[in-house]
Amino acid sequence: MRKVKFVFILVILFLSGKIIYAQPSNIDPYHYKIKKNIECKNGAVVSAHTLASEAGVQILKEGGNAIDAAIATQLALAVVYPGAGNIGGGGFLVAHLKSGKNISIDYREVAPAAASRDMYLDAIGNPVTNLSINGHLSAGVPGTVAGLFASMKYAKLPFKKLIQPAIDLAEKGFAITEAQAKSFNATHDDFIKLNTTIPVFVKDNLWKAGDTLVQKDLANTLKRIRDLGEKGFYEGETAKLIAEEMKKGKGIITEKDLKKYRAKLRTPVVFNYRGHIIITMPLPSSGGIILEQMMKMAEKYNVAAMKFETAQSVQLMTEIERRAYADRANFLGDADFVKVPVKTLVSDKYLKERMKDYEPGKAGSSTQTKAGNIKESEQTTHLSVIDNEGNAVSVTTTLNNSYGSKTVVSGAGFLLNDEMDDFSVKPGVPNLYGAVGNEKNAITPGKRMLSSMTPTIVLKNNQPYLVVGTPGGTTITTSVFQTLVDIIDFKMTTDDAVNKPKFHHQWLPDQVDVEKGFPEDVKKQLTKMGYTLKERSAIGRTEVIKKTAPQKIEAVADKRGDDDAAGY
Ligand code: DON
């Protein structure tokens, strides 16, 4: 009888997930190697951290699909990549499902109910951007956890299994990388200044590579999410901790704001480019619309003949970028709140008109190139996943700046975003990334701030061919644009498309940002044409998966960070 009882208890424990989900994974979190470029047959995950990529691949091996893996990877990133991986921020998922259906899920943060248009202006109307970038008041209502549960509709495995690697990594700790150690040390003072309780990211002496980071409070929050689902974050203990933290630091997110938050299923932006189908993110990301604008403008030219990174191709693409970003600043905002002329903006007629004043060999000017004429009534992270069932998933998520607001919810162990800065705090006043906006992107309670995140999938012969995306603020969309042109037009290797220097123009300021290593002779020629150039140390961290045939997958992680490509 006692034996029967024991077996019965075992079965109950098994069914409730207590045994099967506690299985240790075969990844050693204290000793791991970063892999930049792999080839594999079945499935791959590229993300900002080895332990997160490996957590995703483990899920694929255990029978999960690309959505399962994307969920597990995001949760692991919230633990091992606190600068951008998150549960206190938001993101976008774009997927091509094996059924042939394309979906996108919007889990962008929203402005809290007590937010208002001029909340970041002082008494005489000047912007106080420190408030929209640092600390409690800069946080929007987080969307990530709702997004993960909205993604579950397309997953195969139970959520409890997908979150377990993250719980283990938070509870037992993992070895941090050299870049992580440097980044914690560099943020030490801000972490102290912007928190009401000293967070685990602060250490008396300096962090160094190989030190173990344990996050007990975060592990407990993740367990509440595991056990209670979405309510484990948006209601009860976690919501209470967030609201209490807000009160302590003059923030405005309330329990009511949290309970009200919903992720939204959106119709993705889908368009053709030289025989490929491009699937990407619609509003409230500007990414999809301006990527479509840029690629359609580029399609009219023989870009391939101009060759990679020549003065000719860079000038053309710069002028294309200038025009798209002028439209971003003037027309784009959350379409649930403001009217956006999306159809016109991507129409052939309109785009042809936009390029009419393009002069090869001569720099354009942002004072002359305004937004088009329409008559009408540095921290984010990307992950690319592919499985052997025909699913491809592209996810970009963000806290906005590195470590977001840098404010950790006391007792809950996670960082809050500073996404409010992506609103236009005042028309014409640039945000953290120099992007300007107007009333379309003004703050309104419940509204989503305009984003640049551009998770993208490319189909060739109706099959997933490329999964692409990157962080990088406003440079995100130009990096995706260039990566696609590099692979499709210039026939570059995936590795080169990811790692060769990139450039960026965003209308205002009127300058071309060129990445370190950009060819000197091209810089000279561009300067001669009349362009102002500015060198930047790194543009984005692009993660690309390319599938060229069944069982032929190449996954490349950007060399600019600790990013890692895993597969099997
Ligand atoms: O949503 C956006 O466009 C920005 N919050 C993204 C920020 C970002 O990429 C920072 N990364 N380096």
Side-chain angles (χ1 to χ4, degrees):
M1 191 58 202
R2 274 177 72 185
K3 203 171 157 196
V4 172
K5 213 166 151 189
F6 178 70
V7 171
F8 181 73
I9 290 171
L10 269 184
V11 168
I12 293 291
L13 281 174
F14 179 84
L15 289 176
S16 68
K18 292 280 182 321
I19 289 184
I20 191 166
Y21 305 127
Q23 257 179 3
S25 79
N26 55 12
I27 311 151
D28 178 351
Y30 309 106
H31 307 93
Y32 53 90
K33 264 212 181 104
I34 295 174
K35 306 170 296 306
K36 290 293 179 195
N37 197 332
I38 59 150
E39 282 177 15
C40 57
K41 288 184 172 167
N42 290 294
V45 181
V46 192
S47 83
H49 201 285
T50 309
L51 295 171
S53 299
E54 289 291 351
V57 168
Q58 186 68 24
I59 290 295
L60 289 177
K61 284 184 184 163
E62 288 173 25
N65 63 19
I67 307 272
D68 289 294
I71 295 170
T73 304
Q74 284 174 82
L75 284 161
L77 282 170
V79 180
V80 298
Y81 193 60
N86 68 81
I87 53 172
F92 300 127
L93 174 146
V94 169
H96 174 77
L97 303 176
K98 65 176 180 187
S99 62
K101 195 172 169 193
N102 302 317
I103 57 158
S104 69
I105 303 175
D106 160 10
Y107 40 107
R108 182 73 163 164
E109 300 90 330
V110 302
S116 57
R117 184 181 176 277
D118 297 338
M119 64 188 278
Y120 299 111
L121 303 186
D122 66 13
I124 52 164
N126 290 325
V128 191
T129 41
N130 179 42
L131 289 179
S132 65
I133 295 174
N134 288 316
H136 300 66
L137 194 61
S138 66
V141 184
T144 296
V145 174
L148 297 176
F149 282 95
S151 312
M152 281 304 291
K153 188 173 163 202
Y154 309 95
K156 276 164 79 182
L157 301 180
F159 187 78
K160 289 184 174 178
K161 193 172 179 71
L162 307 180
I163 198 173
Q164 195 58 43
I167 294 174
D168 289 342
L169 288 163
E171 197 156 47
K172 297 177 194 147
F174 65 97
I176 63 167
T177 63
E178 170 139 22
Q180 186 66 77
K182 275 193 188 146
S183 161
F184 280 156
N185 292 337
T187 322
H188 175 276
D189 294 355
D190 274 345
F191 279 141
I192 292 180
K193 201 167 74 197
L194 297 164
N195 280 286
T196 57
T197 312
I198 307 265
V200 287
F201 312 124
V202 172
K203 204 169 149 206
D204 289 343
N205 36 19
L206 291 182
W207 288 95
K208 53 185 189 327
D211 283 350
T212 301
L213 176 67
V214 174
Q215 301 171 81
K216 292 272 188 229
D217 286 345
L218 177 59
N220 289 333
T221 300
L222 293 170
K223 284 180 191 169
R224 285 193 292 277
I225 298 170
R226 176 194 65 191
D227 298 337
L228 304 169
E230 240 170 304
K231 289 189 176 169
F233 185 86
Y234 290 100
E235 294 179 39
E237 175 81 5
T238 314
K240 214 173 251 140
L241 288 169
I242 298 173
E244 275 167 16
E245 183 62 54
M246 286 290 133
K247 280 188 199 135
K248 282 190 265 179
K250 297 202 181 112
I252 52 173
I253 300 174
T254 61
E255 284 186 64
K256 212 167 152 195
D257 284 322
L258 291 159
K259 198 169 171 184
K260 225 175 129 188
Y261 185 86
R262 296 286 176 276
K264 293 188 179 179
L265 214 61
R266 305 268 183 202
T267 308
V269 169
V270 180
F271 60 94
N272 287 294
Y273 180 74
R274 302 196 208 277
H276 300 76
I277 297 171
I278 318 277
I279 307 152
T280 182
M281 193 67 207
L283 290 170
S285 181
S286 62
I289 293 174
I290 67 171
L291 182 67
E292 180 171 359
Q293 286 193 308
M294 293 192 291
M295 300 213 67
K296 281 187 171 165
M297 285 189 258
E299 204 174 21
K300 298 278 179 270
Y301 297 82
N302 188 352
V303 182
M306 298 180 190
K307 302 250 159 53
F308 171 68
E309 234 145 61
T310 58
Q312 210 188 358
S313 68
V314 173
Q315 193 217 350
L316 172 70
M317 290 165 83
T318 295
E319 291 303 329
I320 286 173
E321 291 171 7
R322 180 200 306 280
R323 286 158 177 79
Y325 276 79
D327 284 353
R328 179 197 196 276
N330 285 281
F331 296 118
L332 303 190
D334 181 349
D336 291 346
F337 282 74
V338 294
K339 214 157 179 234
V340 180
V342 178
K343 272 208 179 115
T344 310
L345 286 170
V346 296
S347 70
D348 282 342
K349 191 168 158 234
Y350 174 78
L351 293 171
K352 202 169 152 201
E353 193 61 34
R354 290 297 274 147
M355 286 303 278
K356 237 179 167 171
D357 57 352
Y358 163 63
E359 268 185 67
K362 186 168 173 256
S365 136
S366 293
T367 18
Q368 265 152 38
T369 301
K370 303 271 193 237
N373 225 337
I374 291 186
K375 294 189 195 81
E376 276 212 66
S377 37
E378 220 138 307
Q379 253 315 25
T380 298
T381 190
H382 178 82
L383 53 123
S384 294
V385 187
I386 204 156
D387 64 20
N388 61 5
E389 298 180 14
N391 301 295
V393 181
S394 193
V395 177
T396 315
T397 77
T398 185
L399 287 169
N400 194 26
N401 209 356
S402 248
Y403 305 101
S405 61
K406 302 182 189 69
T407 296
V408 174
V409 177
S410 304
F414 62 88
L415 282 151
L416 288 166
N417 65 83
D418 63 330
E419 222 72 63
M420 290 296 282
D421 190 64
D422 270 348
F423 277 119
S424 180
V425 301
K426 186 180 179 180
V429 170
N431 74 1
L432 190 59
Y433 304 99
V436 288
N438 57 18
E439 292 302 332
K440 300 267 181 190
N441 191 29
I443 304 171
T444 307
K447 186 175 171 185
R448 283 153 150 91
M449 54 297 279
L450 190 64
S451 172
S452 297
M453 293 188 287
T454 316
T456 299
I457 293 168
V458 178
L459 307 183
K460 198 173 173 179
N461 304 322
N462 284 323
Q463 293 302 317
Y465 170 53
L466 299 170
V467 188
V468 183
T470 178
T474 41
T475 67
I476 292 175
T477 320
T478 48
S479 292
V480 172
F481 171 47
Q482 287 164 36
T483 306
L484 297 188
V485 169
D486 289 350
I487 295 176
I488 296 173
D489 293 279
F490 300 134
K491 310 273 182 267
M492 276 162 67
T493 63
T494 320
D495 194 77
D496 280 351
V498 167
N499 291 315
K500 291 262 184 193
K502 297 204 162 53
F503 59 94
H504 171 73
H505 195 295
Q506 61 178 46
W507 182 53
L508 293 178
D510 190 349
Q511 70 190 30
V512 190
D513 294 349
V514 290
E515 199 175 6
K516 217 172 67 196
F518 198 85
E520 286 303 323
D521 61 318
V522 180
K523 282 203 252 178
K524 272 195 201 124
Q525 290 179 63
L526 290 169
T527 311
K528 237 174 147 185
M529 288 178 191
Y531 289 96
T532 305
L533 304 192
K534 192 170 165 235
E535 189 169 285
R536 277 172 84 137
S537 58
I539 297 186
R541 286 183 187 181
T542 306
E543 323 282 32
V544 177
I545 297 178
K546 181 162 124 185
K547 186 168 185 179
T548 45
Q551 306 233 308
K552 204 163 178 340
I553 298 169
E554 192 192 347
V556 177
D558 199 307
K559 70 169 184 197
R560 296 166 181 86
D562 286 339
D563 308 51
D564 177 273
Y568 76 112

